[in-house]
Amino acid sequence: MSPRALLSILWSSMVLLSAPAVEARPAAGQDPPPRPIGASDLLRSEPFDRITLIDNSVVIVEPVSPRPLPLIDVRKEREKRLKEATNPVGSFIEVGKEPKKQEDEGTIEGRDIIKIHLLQAGRSEVRDFLVKRTSIKKIEYFEDLLLDEVDRLILSRDFARAFECCLRVRTRDPSWPGLDDHVNKVLYTEGRRALIDGDDERGLRLLRELLARNRDYPGLLEQIVQAYGKRIERSVRMGQYVLGRRVLHELEGVVGERASVAALRSRFVSKATDRLQQAETKDPADRLDALAEAIRIWPTLPGVEARYIEAFRAMPTLDVGVIDVASPPGPWVKSPADDRIVRLLYLPILADDDENARKGKPAGQLAASVETSDLGRRMVIRLRPGPIWSDGSRPVSIADVARALIEQTDPHSPTYEARWAQLLDRAEVRGEDRIEVRLHQSPLKAGSSLLGPVGAAHAGVDGRVVLSASRRILVTDGPFGCTQSEDGRLELRTRSDQASDGTIRRIREIRLSQGETAVTALRRGDVTMIDHVPPDQVAAMTGAPEIQIGQYQRPVVHVLAVDGRTPALRNRALRRGLSYAINRKGLLEETVLKHPTNDIDAPADGPFAKGSFADAAGVKPLAFDILLAKMLVAAAKKELGGRSIRLTLDFPAIPECRAVVPKLAEAFQIAGVEIELAEWPESRLEGELRAGRRFDLAYRVLRCDDPIGQAGPLLCPAYDAPPEADPLASAASPRILQLLLQLERAGEWPTARGLASQIDRESRNELAVIPLWQLADHYAWRSRLRGPGATASRLYDGIESWQVAPWVAHDPWDPGQKPEKSK
């Protein structure tokens, strides 16, 4: 059998198309010419090739093979055409017939003629053809169509689909010509666009990936240096020098030593050198700050470390990261921040309400003795020779004590206390160092009203005196004075001129209300101590190198305070509905602690912490029942006239509060109460609540040292507010208010203890506040600080004996230095 007969049998339904004799335009029933194909079609469609014949006919065929087709030798093709011109061959070979002239078998095998299969044809039309290579004007491979689409998508900034097109080419043929160039182009263009849009992390990641593929890509190194340079400049501008140096080190590893990298490095060095020069003309405190700034900018600057250590030893400084700073500080206690520093700034009349203090034994108080008579309704206070006020004007005198006691009865004074105003009858000065205090009734704890700070009588109501038209300073008589007080920052300096063995001469409190920010600052060494460790970070920090953890003696209780001046909240059904909507155990374990509860960290059943004598025994835990919560809220709405209930929940900027408050709001909304959230700095929120500002719900974090004396302010934030604030009306439960008033008049300890326990028991049903949970409260410090104890009642207990060593943090990538070093 001849070769042509064999081909006819194998391709029984094929027609040999010998161009240009056959026109391949679509016949009747065939699909129209193909329309332009977009990225979505290419990514979803089956692979195909697009062939344009020399008569401009376009056909869509299955992918040809081999891919790509080998190039045609132009010289040999020209000779072959001349030969065909002298010996013409018929254009058609009909199936089952012998050709007029025998074709060379090698023509098909050598790919001068290729087999194609049409994808666009009618049902009864032939799809398989043989076509000469010389009849093909252009062939567009599926892979090339995808790469062309990549170029278009890059122009339209659709980088995701552009990369998908590259991936599809890669799956078909990883070595396809032009694939690597297009992938590089996508990476470069998308990286540049991300940098322009401000997404530095993604942009640099893409450019670094391109660098690993092709380091010599045009403009790549310059683009990387420019992007890193912007990050470095931004870090320097924001004072984030550690981040800036880390980025510079990363840039050096990416591009090596270049003139542009050296210029960026010189910015750090010149800025640090400038601070070093400025330090020479400043006082000891400012000199230390300038040197600390220089060493933060560039730790390896020659000579800066030795000068910093020398300056630090002259002015030992304790940097403390706190939830909030006192705003403003003064001779009062309005917030936890005030309570933290007030003993550093002011001496109380009595350091404690005990016999030793009344006899004048503790050093940190003004009274030499306090004598009581007439069943405690008469007190005679004798002052010891007082310290000098910080402005140097005079010593503390009996006039200062008299003014402090009397001002607490003035509703217009920032130190006003309603209970003391009702208790005090008169205060009379009996000599240069004596004052007699008369009370309307016998108090249960006579000395408790003498524990507060005493301000200077010659100062204004805010405790400050005028030095010039633009300067007013806080006058204090404690071991420290306030030298700087601004939003987010407080600076205290010891009044002693000499420091020995690293004894602290300066305290700088810096507001770091974000939990992770405070912990990160402590780990990095930006601060030496933090006043609060978020509950979910305690386990991670325990055992961390160079860090120690302490615990406050009293746990804190988290509650939602309720304002009875809001008509809806006087409805007990609504308060119960809000309480039932809270999944205390679930929120505590999943959001606040992020570990199971224990004996201390547990849901609360009342306003007093577990273990306190006021914590009533046998009180059932507050349950979670969302269905009952919805029913109670619905009943409350009906009693209130069917109106919707919308409340505002104020909360302090404390990490665990930020985490859990949105979940509380969500639970209340499920129960049928609309909630609007409002975040406040802790000091401002507590100060305004205690001053009598109206609110709906307020998240409070309470530490109770004296359940009998502090029960009122715990259950009713405005309990000691001026009369115009209508403080008693703010108590949501009349029954709890009745018990609080009875507790004030209690004259015997057993009666008072019984009332405190009864308040705790009845608070479960009355819900004057909505208890949430109690938590152990922790603080932490770096080991270069020596003196803090494992437990403390206040953060700065015993600070007069604390010692702090200078500390220099070096970059961990610096091979010549350790990551950190204490001197």
Side-chain angles (χ1 to χ4, degrees):
M1 181 181 295
S2 67
R4 178 61 61 190
L6 179 61
L7 289 174
S8 298
I9 294 173
L10 292 175
W11 299 333
S12 59
S13 63
M14 295 184 184
V15 176
L16 177 60
L17 176 61
S18 181
V22 175
E23 183 178 359
R25 290 188 175 89
Q30 187 174 341
D31 293 339
R35 60 180 176 81
I37 299 178
S40 298
D41 297 325
L42 287 172
L43 292 172
R44 291 196 302 263
S45 70
E46 291 294 328
F48 65 90
D49 290 339
R50 186 158 52 198
I51 295 177
T52 303
L53 302 175
I54 59 177
D55 63 349
N56 294 323
S57 300
V58 178
V59 291
I60 304 300
V61 301
E62 284 187 349
V64 300
S65 179
R67 308 180 61 77
L69 292 173
L71 295 176
I72 298 177
D73 190 323
V74 179
R75 184 178 59 84
K76 291 183 177 180
E77 184 63 25
R78 186 182 300 113
E79 294 175 354
K80 185 175 181 181
R81 288 190 177 185
L82 290 174
K83 182 179 179 181
E84 289 178 350
T86 58
N87 299 292
V89 179
S91 299
F92 291 97
I93 299 178
E94 297 181 10
V95 177
K97 294 184 179 182
E98 291 292 332
K100 296 180 180 180
K101 181 178 179 180
Q102 184 72 26
E103 291 284 348
D104 183 8
E105 290 186 38
T107 303
I108 297 177
E109 295 176 357
R111 302 304 176 185
D112 286 343
I113 297 174
I114 63 171
K115 175 187 175 182
I116 63 173
H117 179 81
L118 294 182
L119 294 180
Q120 292 181 327
R123 294 182 179 179
S124 60
E125 293 189 11
V126 177
R127 290 175 177 264
D128 295 320
F129 296 91
L130 294 175
V131 62
K132 288 186 177 182
R133 290 283 306 279
T134 55
S135 299
I136 297 175
K137 181 178 182 180
K138 180 176 65 173
I139 180 168
E140 298 172 84
Y141 300 102
F142 183 67
E143 291 82 356
D144 288 335
L145 292 174
L146 284 168
L147 295 182
D148 291 341
E149 188 64 21
V150 169
D151 292 330
R152 190 190 68 78
L153 291 171
I154 288 175
L155 292 176
S156 62
R157 299 178 187 175
D158 192 348
F159 302 110
R161 288 203 295 172
F163 197 70
E164 287 182 34
C165 291
C166 291
L167 286 177
R168 185 158 194 197
V169 176
R170 182 184 179 88
T171 57
R172 291 185 54 79
D173 188 350
S175 60
W176 186 262
L179 173 60
D180 287 343
D181 292 339
H182 280 78
V183 172
N184 293 344
K185 186 177 180 180
V186 172
L187 291 172
Y188 181 75
T189 310
E190 184 178 2
R192 284 192 60 189
R193 175 50 54 183
L195 293 174
I196 293 172
D197 294 341
D199 191 351
D200 294 346
E201 289 295 331
R202 186 168 65 91
L204 286 173
R205 176 178 56 79
L206 292 169
L207 293 180
R208 286 196 298 267
E209 185 176 345
L210 175 56
L211 185 70
R213 292 172 54 89
N214 184 1
R215 189 178 184 85
D216 297 326
Y217 193 88
L220 175 60
L221 291 179
E222 292 76 8
Q223 187 67 45
I224 290 177
V225 172
Q226 182 181 359
Y228 273 94
K230 289 181 179 179
R231 292 185 66 189
I232 292 170
E233 290 176 2
R234 183 167 60 250
S235 299
V236 171
R237 188 170 56 252
M238 298 175 62
Q240 298 176 346
Y241 302 112
V242 176
L243 175 60
R245 294 198 306 275
R246 183 184 300 116
V247 174
L248 177 61
H249 173 71
E250 184 178 333
L251 175 61
E252 292 171 344
V254 171
V255 303
E257 187 60 36
R258 300 168 64 93
S260 52
V261 175
L264 291 170
R265 186 186 305 111
S266 66
R267 290 203 58 184
F268 287 92
V269 176
S270 61
K271 195 176 184 70
T273 302
D274 182 59
R275 296 292 188 275
L276 183 62
Q277 294 173 351
Q278 293 176 6
E280 301 303 324
T281 60
K282 297 182 178 293
D283 61 46
D286 292 338
R287 182 170 183 265
L288 175 61
D289 292 344
L291 290 170
E293 182 78 358
I295 209 167
R296 285 180 61 238
I297 297 171
W298 199 252
T300 57
L301 186 69
V304 68
E305 183 174 328
R307 296 185 188 183
Y308 166 75
I309 292 172
E310 179 185 357
F312 190 92
R313 287 173 176 164
M315 180 63 69
T317 298
L318 176 63
D319 290 319
V320 185
V322 297
I323 291 293
D324 197 12
V325 297
S327 179
W332 50 67
V333 178
K334 301 178 181 179
S335 67
D338 292 331
D339 185 63
R340 184 176 60 245
I341 65 167
V342 69
R343 291 294 179 95
L344 301 179
L345 298 175
Y346 297 97
L347 297 179
I349 298 173
L350 291 179
D352 205 349
D353 186 17
D354 57 19
E355 190 64 26
N356 286 336
R358 285 190 285 270
K359 291 181 178 179
K361 293 182 179 181
Q365 65 178 41
L366 297 176
S369 65
V370 176
E371 300 175 358
T372 60
S373 59
D374 195 12
L375 299 178
R377 289 182 295 181
R378 176 178 178 270
M379 293 186 294
V380 177
I381 303 171
R382 182 171 63 86
L383 295 188
R384 61 177 56 158
I388 304 297
W389 287 108
S390 60
D391 63 348
S393 59
R394 59 180 179 81
V396 178
S397 67
I398 201 69
D400 301 311
V401 175
R403 182 197 178 192
L405 294 175
I406 294 172
E407 271 206 345
Q408 293 179 53
T409 65
D410 181 5
H412 303 289
S413 170
T415 61
Y416 175 78
E417 289 190 14
R419 285 176 293 173
W420 176 250
Q422 294 179 353
L423 185 62
L424 179 66
D425 180 15
R426 61 183 182 272
E428 299 177 351
V429 175
R430 297 299 186 183
E432 292 184 356
D433 63 346
R434 291 176 184 270
I435 184 172
E436 180 180 334
V437 179
R438 291 279 186 172
L439 307 177
H440 286 298
Q441 66 183 48
S442 300
L444 191 62
K445 300 178 69 174
S448 60
S449 55
L450 306 178
L451 302 179
V454 174
H458 63 280
V461 293
D462 60 353
R464 298 175 182 267
V465 296
V466 177
L467 292 184
S468 65
S470 59
R471 187 181 178 198
R472 302 176 75 248
I473 64 169
L474 188 67
V475 182
T476 63
D477 62 345
F480 286 81
C482 180
T483 58
Q484 181 184 6
S485 175
E486 57 187 34
D487 186 32
R489 194 176 186 91
L490 182 72
E491 183 174 309
L492 310 177
R493 292 190 194 178
T494 181
R495 297 177 60 192
S496 174
D497 294 332
Q498 301 294 328
S500 59
D501 301 328
T503 302
I504 294 170
R505 292 192 60 191
R506 182 171 64 160
I507 301 173
R508 289 188 297 196
E509 290 193 345
I510 306 161
R511 180 193 294 158
L512 299 173
S513 57
Q514 296 281 1
E516 292 184 0
T517 301
V519 171
T520 301
L522 182 68
R523 290 181 180 274
R524 196 167 52 218
D526 293 343
V527 296
T528 309
M529 192 177 203
I530 57 176
D531 73 324
H532 174 70
V533 180
D536 60 338
Q537 296 288 322
V538 174
M541 294 189 66
T542 301
E546 300 292 329
I547 292 179
Q548 300 184 47
I549 303 288
Q551 182 174 329
Y552 293 100
Q553 292 176 356
R554 305 279 185 185
V556 292
V557 179
H558 292 229
V559 303
L560 293 181
V562 179
D563 193 345
R565 294 167 293 188
T566 299
L569 291 171
R570 290 198 293 267
N571 187 294
R572 190 165 75 96
L574 176 60
R575 300 197 302 272
R576 292 182 64 210
L578 294 176
S579 178
Y580 275 112
I582 302 172
N583 183 3
R584 290 169 174 80
K585 190 173 186 296
L587 290 176
L588 182 59
E589 292 183 341
E590 297 173 8
T591 305
V592 179
L593 295 175
K594 297 182 180 177
H595 63 73
T597 58
N598 51 50
D599 292 340
I600 299 178
D601 302 325
D605 58 11
F608 302 113
K610 295 179 180 179
S612 168
F613 68 82
D615 182 34
V619 176
K620 294 182 179 179
L622 292 164
F624 166 61
D625 190 333
I626 192 62
L627 180 60
L628 182 56
K630 291 180 179 180
M631 295 172 61
L632 289 168
V633 170
K637 287 181 179 179
K638 185 176 181 180
E639 293 177 10
L640 295 171
R643 299 187 305 272
S644 62
I645 300 175
R646 183 188 299 270
L647 302 174
T648 299
L649 173 54
D650 300 317
F651 65 97
I654 298 176
E656 50 268 38
C657 298
R658 280 194 177 112
V660 79
V661 159
K663 297 183 181 298
L664 291 174
E666 181 181 357
F668 294 156
Q669 289 171 347
I670 293 174
V673 179
E674 298 179 24
I675 296 293
E676 180 180 349
L677 301 179
E679 180 177 320
W680 296 73
E682 184 189 34
S683 295
R684 183 180 173 189
L685 178 60
E686 278 295 320
E688 293 191 6
L689 292 179
R690 298 184 191 190
R693 177 179 71 84
R694 291 178 179 268
F695 64 99
D696 294 332
L697 300 172
Y699 194 118
R700 302 183 72 199
V701 180
L702 307 172
R703 181 179 289 111
C704 181
D705 298 321
D706 177 16
I708 293 176
Q710 298 176 1
L714 288 182
L715 293 163
C716 177
Y719 198 69
D720 281 322
E724 60 265 22
D726 198 9
L728 297 184
S730 66
S733 167
R735 172 57 179 165
I736 295 299
L737 178 61
Q738 178 187 12
L739 292 174
L740 289 174
L741 295 177
Q742 292 178 9
L743 181 61
E744 276 190 37
R745 293 189 291 270
E748 298 180 353
W749 277 102
T751 302
R753 286 176 175 268
L755 285 169
S757 181
Q758 188 175 357
I759 288 173
D760 183 78
R761 182 178 296 105
E762 295 196 25
S763 290
R764 186 195 181 282
N765 292 323
E766 291 293 328
L767 294 171
V769 296
I770 300 175
L772 297 176
W773 38 74
Q774 72 169 40
L775 299 170
D777 199 8
H778 296 83
Y779 53 95
W781 69 96
R782 297 192 68 88
S783 57
R784 70 189 185 99
L785 174 63
R786 297 185 295 274
T791 59
S793 58
R794 291 183 174 86
L795 182 67
Y796 297 126
D797 283 354
I799 194 173
E800 61 276 359
S801 62
W802 291 6
Q803 295 180 338
V804 62
W807 179 81
V808 179
H810 292 285
D811 297 329
W813 55 83
D814 186 350
Q817 300 288 347
K818 296 180 179 179
E820 61 182 51
K821 178 166 56 177
S822 297
K823 300 292 183 180

